[in-house]
């Protein structure tokens, strides 16, 4: 039981990049796909992790609509304040920027909403 608690603690403390790598391994080696689409994480800037922590403005990039394109189009329409046609064009043109210059918390919240709709998203 102690081993499982230690393992659970390790899982909880994984970075987003490590979680995505774990999801990829589970998919490739064991055929297990996570419920939400994997998130593509931008490579750290030349300054490393410290430079990424200091960043205060983020862009939300839609990489793919995933399997639920209609849900993603509707959500992009709502979040970006676009018409249905413009939202569909943005989704069809992925990778494309949904929102620019957001605070980290706002960008992560938007990313989470898009992921829940089935999209693949990246923060830059």
């Amino acid at each position: 039981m102690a081993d499982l608690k230690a393992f659970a603690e390790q899982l909880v403390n994984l970075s987003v990049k490590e979680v995505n790598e774990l999801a990829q391994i589970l998919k490739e080696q064991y055929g297990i796909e996570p419920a939400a689409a994997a998130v593509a994480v931008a490579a750290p800037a030349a300054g490393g992790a410290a430079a990424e922590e200091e960043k205060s403005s983020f862009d939300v990039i839609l990489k793919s609509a995933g399997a639920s394109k209609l849900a993603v189009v509707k959500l992009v329409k709502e979040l970006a304040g676009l018409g249905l046609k413009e939202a569909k064009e943005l989704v069809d043109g992925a990778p494309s920027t949904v929102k620019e210059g957001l605070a980290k918390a706002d960008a992560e919240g938007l990313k989470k909403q898009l992921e829940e709709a089935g999209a693949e998203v990246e923060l830059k």
Side-chain angles (χ1 to χ4, degrees):
M1 185 66 149
D3 289 340
L4 287 177
K5 285 184 180 181
F7 180 65
E9 185 69 27
Q10 286 178 320
L11 288 175
V12 169
N13 291 318
L14 291 176
S15 69
V16 173
K17 183 177 180 181
E18 291 169 327
V19 169
N20 287 323
E21 290 172 0
L22 175 61
Q24 191 66 30
I25 290 168
L26 290 172
K27 180 179 177 183
E28 290 173 358
Q29 293 185 5
Y30 304 101
I32 300 170
E33 291 201 40
V39 180
V41 178
E52 191 171 326
E53 288 178 24
E54 294 174 12
K55 188 173 179 177
S56 62
S57 178
F58 294 85
D59 297 342
V60 178
I61 311 296
L62 176 69
K63 294 188 62 98
S64 164
S68 304
K69 183 178 176 181
L70 182 58
V72 173
V73 168
K74 287 179 179 179
L75 184 58
V76 166
K77 176 186 177 291
E78 176 186 325
L79 296 173
L82 300 172
L84 189 58
K85 181 179 177 183
E86 292 82 9
K88 182 184 178 299
E89 288 172 355
L90 187 142
V91 171
D92 287 343
S96 51
T97 303
V98 176
K99 289 264 187 171
E100 295 178 327
L102 297 174
K104 184 175 183 177
D106 294 335
E108 287 175 346
L110 182 60
K111 178 179 76 118
K112 182 178 178 183
Q113 283 182 288
L114 287 163
E115 288 172 346
E116 287 173 352
E120 290 185 41
V121 183
E122 175 181 19
L123 296 182
K124 284 192 176 184

